[in-house]
Amino acid sequence: MDSKVAKADAKHQKIHSRKRKKDNDDRKVGSEIFDKITLETLYKLANQGYIDVLNGAISTGKEANVLTGIHKENKFTAVKIYRIATSDFKKMNYYLNGDPRFNIKTKNKRKIINSWVTKEYKNLKRLYDAGVSVPEPYTSLNNVLLLEFIGDEKGNPYQPVKNQKPENPDDFFSKLLAEVKKFVNEAKLVHGDLSNYNILNKNETPVIIDVSQSVVLDNPISKELLERDINTLVREYKKLGVDTDFDEIWEYISPVF
Ligand SMILES: Nc1ncnc2c1ncn2[C@@H]1O[C@H](COP(=O)(O)OP(=O)(O)OP(=O)(O)O)[C@@H](O)[C@H]1O
Ligand SMILES: [Mg+2]
């Protein structure tokens, strides 16, 4: 594995282990995420008619908080808010630099976060338009991304596969592979952090989330990221009892770089 990718990966692992410690710490949400600019951004989005009410937190991660919002027709929205204080700018810069769509040369942290959020929005849009099972993106502004809420009509979010194992792993896995194939061949993107943490189990159908770090196939690191993603899936789904291996999946996707 390329050492740069390995480094970014090690960083990411750290983020995930720290994240788990904080997962239950909902009390901090208010003071931590609603800095002045975030509040102004949320007001603007409210004025534009995107959200009326902000509800509780679905997830309190290291870099982002995901909340449910409600808008006019009593529809739920997911509201993903990146926190400037805890964002990993090195990682963001690393994934932004190789992307011809984001030729940014700035050390301004807010600008980097805004590009990161725009990148997640654009990736989601491209995936959604290509028919991949991802939440529909609504809009993004500064450090806030509004996207389709993946959950039931009462506002309960569907859980990541990590917490909600599929009833029929073989069936679920073949649906997932069909989505990954479209991800790569139709949307021409590689996820880059694909794992059961970032795949929601929507009534036995996979919904892929968290695509801020996803890269275009033209990005020099895309091949290695796809290899890593596939290795992760093989490891995780073997544990769930699925009989699969790397070569079989690679051949099924048949990526063209
Ligand atoms: N559209 C959505 N609908 C329902 N739940 C969602 C949605 N998006 C995210 N979530 C929930 O929020 C969690 C975190 O979201 P996501 O993976 O996008 O953030 P993250 O980048 O991993 O955050 P961090 O790195 O700060 O931990 C997910 O594991 C999932 O439980
Ligand atoms: Mg995630």
Side-chain angles (χ1 to χ4, degrees), residues 125-152:
K125 178 94 176 70
R126 185 160 157 160
L127 290 157
Y128 187 79
D129 289 346
V132 183
S133 177
V134 294
E136 180 182 0
Y138 299 139
T139 192
S140 76
L141 184 63
N142 303 328
N143 58 328
V144 178
L145 171 69
L146 299 187
L147 66 166
E148 183 187 309
F149 172 70
I150 307 298
D152 68 18

Side-chain angles (χ1 to χ4, degrees), residues 93-143:
N93 260 332
Y94 176 70
Y95 283 96
L96 283 165
N97 280 344
D99 193 322
R101 296 171 301 170
F102 299 94
N103 191 16
I104 58 156
K105 290 194 174 41
T106 179
K107 288 202 158 44
N108 180 307
K109 292 187 169 179
R110 238 168 234 294
K111 282 191 186 154
I112 296 172
I113 287 217
N114 294 352
S115 300
W116 191 248
V117 177
T118 307
K119 183 167 183 263
E120 182 158 10
Y121 173 83
K122 287 196 172 171
N123 284 343
L124 271 181
K125 178 94 176 70
R126 185 160 157 160
L127 290 157
Y128 187 79
D129 289 346
V132 183
S133 177
V134 294
E136 180 182 0
Y138 299 139
T139 192
S140 76
L141 184 63
N142 303 328
N143 58 328

Side-chain angles (χ1 to χ4, degrees), residues 11-251:
K11 258 262 157 70
H12 205 64
Q13 296 301 331
K14 234 195 254 168
I15 293 164
H16 273 285
S17 58
R18 260 185 269 156
K19 170 181 154 179
R20 254 171 250 133
K21 273 185 226 137
K22 288 188 82 184
D23 262 353
N24 296 326
D25 206 352
D26 271 4
R27 284 162 301 149
K28 279 189 179 169
V29 170
S31 56
E32 257 187 36
I33 63 173
F34 296 136
D35 60 84
K36 192 164 171 276
I37 293 183
T38 303
L39 270 179
E40 282 166 6
T41 304
L42 290 167
Y43 285 140
K44 264 192 206 152
L45 290 167
N47 282 336
Q48 289 168 12
Y50 284 105
I51 24 172
D52 288 334
V53 182
L54 265 187
N55 275 359
I58 305 175
S59 155
T60 309
K62 185 194 165 273
E63 293 183 276
N65 296 71
V66 180
L67 296 90
T68 44
I70 304 179
H71 69 90
K72 283 191 185 76
E73 312 108 54
N74 275 339
K75 235 183 110 182
F76 292 105
T77 337
V79 183
K80 185 168 179 178
I81 303 174
Y82 280 88
R83 273 174 287 119
I84 187 153
T86 55
S87 285
D88 182 348
F89 294 99
K90 265 197 192 147
K91 184 190 90 189
M92 289 181 176
N93 260 332
Y94 176 70
Y95 283 96
L96 283 165
N97 280 344
D99 193 322
R101 296 171 301 170
F102 299 94
N103 191 16
I104 58 156
K105 290 194 174 41
T106 179
K107 288 202 158 44
N108 180 307
K109 292 187 169 179
R110 238 168 234 294
K111 282 191 186 154
I112 296 172
I113 287 217
N114 294 352
S115 300
W116 191 248
V117 177
T118 307
K119 183 167 183 263
E120 182 158 10
Y121 173 83
K122 287 196 172 171
N123 284 343
L124 271 181
K125 178 94 176 70
R126 185 160 157 160
L127 290 157
Y128 187 79
D129 289 346
V132 183
S133 177
V134 294
E136 180 182 0
Y138 299 139
T139 192
S140 76
L141 184 63
N142 303 328
N143 58 328
V144 178
L145 171 69
L146 299 187
L147 66 166
E148 183 187 309
F149 172 70
I150 307 298
D152 68 18
E153 66 288 346
K154 287 184 191 146
N156 304 307
Y158 292 129
Q159 292 300 303
V161 177
K162 205 80 203 168
N163 305 334
Q164 178 77 51
K165 309 261 180 294
E167 277 162 22
N168 184 336
D170 285 319
D171 196 43
F172 190 90
F173 189 59
S174 55
K175 286 187 204 165
L176 175 62
L177 287 188
E179 296 305 328
V180 177
K181 190 178 164 113
K182 276 188 274 173
F183 204 111
V184 175
N185 293 334
E186 309 292 330
K188 308 231 177 285
L189 290 171
V190 170
H191 189 288
D193 190 20
L194 196 59
S195 81
N196 280 335
Y197 286 101
N198 288 328
I199 301 164
L200 302 182
N201 183 347
K202 179 187 178 183
N203 297 324
E204 304 303 307
T205 296
V207 181
I208 300 171
I209 60 163
D210 205 359
V211 299
S212 54
Q213 73 293 314
S214 301
V215 298
V216 290
L217 291 185
D218 290 339
N219 191 311
I221 61 173
S222 64
K223 187 162 182 266
E224 284 169 58
L225 289 180
L226 182 61
E227 285 167 3
R228 191 175 79 184
D229 280 352
I230 294 177
N231 278 322
T232 306
L233 292 185
V234 169
R235 207 172 48 244
E236 291 190 335
Y237 282 84
K238 269 190 169 168
K239 274 193 205 150
L240 296 178
V242 178
D243 179 22
T244 185
D245 65 43
F246 181 93
D247 293 338
E248 182 186 83
I249 299 175
W250 191 266
E251 198 180 311

